Amino acid sequence: MSTLAIIGGTGLSQIEGLEISGQKQLTTPYGNPSAAYVLGRISGTQVVFLARHGNPHSIPPHRINYRANIWGLKELGVTKVIAAAAVGGITDEMSPGRIVIPTQLIDYSYGRDHTFFADDLDQVTHIDFSHPYHEPLRRQLLAAANKAGIPVSAQGVYGCTQGPRLETAAEIQRMQRDGCDLVGMTGMPEAALARELELDYAACAVVANWAAGKTTSTITMAEIERNLEQGMADMLKLLHQYLLDC
Ligand code: HPA
């Protein structure tokens, strides 16, 4: 049996429909996770939920203790992770409100503790990361979206920036030339750490705004929150369908 975790990002600090059975506050060799892990069931399936930015939402992307978060999930017996994320849309298909199950990523973040394989090593380890998202889990999420009648983009390249500031228009143009479809701040090192601990990991992104320079208007938190409301409601439907089927 596999235990599934959902990591909630901006706009998803708790899950509607989660029958909570307990909470686990863990300390790991890497420090404290962002929040207590919430244990419960959705549609009869056991789920662990973690609010990536803390609860209340107070930890900025570059200060998240990604290692502690992922280590704690492993310690709880989690084998699969669905990472919810708010993103900016770069390419035409990625309009606000759109849900995307990304296929690839490019990491532009820096200075984050990004590996478990750093200290006290018997040997040097290089994980394979050619395909950062677990393809069977991605397929299951896409099938759930189709069944629930929620339009999704079945592929996309996620670019992870450092934040907390948003990008310049030139940075977004460069990212587009690099092949990025989406921009977010929390996809890395989370995905790589999950791979290091052999957790199946896929992301479910909701487009909150057009990325910098894609429109003439400035990006405001109010706009992001407004667009996220509908997108996150759709994402919850998708997750419920996935859990019904798994
Ligand atoms: N850039 C980076 N991260 C984001 C954005 C963005 O435009 N929107 C939501 N998360």
Side-chain angles (χ1 to χ4, degrees):
M1 206 193 90
S2 65
T3 300
L4 175 83
I6 297 170
I7 304 180
T10 301
L12 195 71
S13 50
Q14 54 193 27
I15 295 216
E16 222 175 279
L18 176 64
E19 297 158 38
I20 297 174
S21 56
Q23 298 219 355
K24 269 251 153 60
Q25 189 91 51
L26 293 183
T27 299
T28 77
Y30 301 95
N32 293 330
S34 295
Y37 295 90
V38 180
L39 315 180
R41 284 182 178 273
I42 299 179
S43 309
T45 304
Q46 199 181 324
V47 171
V48 176
F49 177 77
L50 178 67
R52 186 188 282 117
H53 294 276
N55 197 6
H57 186 123
S58 56
I59 311 170
H62 64 295
R63 287 281 173 79
I64 291 169
N65 190 339
Y66 295 95
R67 291 198 299 185
N69 286 353
I70 296 295
W71 189 271
L73 290 178
K74 184 79 178 182
E75 229 172 81
L76 290 171
V78 163
T79 56
K80 284 185 190 183
V81 181
I82 298 173
V87 295
I90 299 177
T91 45
D92 290 349
E93 187 177 311
M94 306 303 175
S95 54
R98 186 97 191 144
I99 295 187
V100 190
I101 312 295
T103 30
Q104 275 295 336
L105 63 79
I106 300 179
D107 188 9
Y108 301 90
S109 70
Y110 49 87
R112 303 181 179 188
D113 285 326
H114 65 286
T115 180
F116 293 112
F117 299 132
D119 305 307
D120 306 323
L121 302 176
D122 294 330
Q123 59 175 52
V124 175
T125 302
H126 304 285
I127 55 158
D128 177 82
F129 202 47
S130 316
H131 301 285
Y133 301 110
H134 188 253
E135 188 57 22
L137 184 51
R138 252 180 38 75
R139 293 269 143 219
Q140 286 167 359
L141 290 171
L142 290 169
N146 285 339
K147 204 162 167 187
I150 296 164
V152 278
S153 294
Q155 52 197 12
V157 178
Y158 173 109
C160 184
T161 56
Q162 176 70 353
R165 69 165 175 83
L166 294 162
E167 299 69 36
T168 65
E171 284 169 338
I172 292 296
Q173 279 167 21
R174 177 179 74 144
M175 291 177 77
Q176 186 158 8
R177 286 194 300 275
D178 285 352
C180 294
D181 298 292
L182 307 165
V183 55
M185 299 176 189
T186 56
M188 283 293 283
E190 194 174 88
L193 292 167
R195 178 65 54 85
E196 285 189 350
L197 295 192
E198 299 179 342
L199 303 178
D200 300 345
Y201 180 100
C204 190
V206 177
V207 180
N209 56 282
W210 282 114
K214 289 283 155 188
T215 64
T216 49
S217 51
T218 42
I219 303 166
T220 64
M221 278 313 288
E223 177 202 353
I224 289 183
E225 279 159 17
R226 206 171 44 246
N227 289 328
L228 276 182
E229 219 164 282
Q230 181 57 47
M232 284 296 167
D234 283 348
M235 187 200 283
L236 271 180
K237 275 193 215 148
L238 190 163
L239 290 176
H240 279 274
Q241 185 66 53
Y242 168 80
L243 289 160
L244 265 179
D245 295 343
C246 76

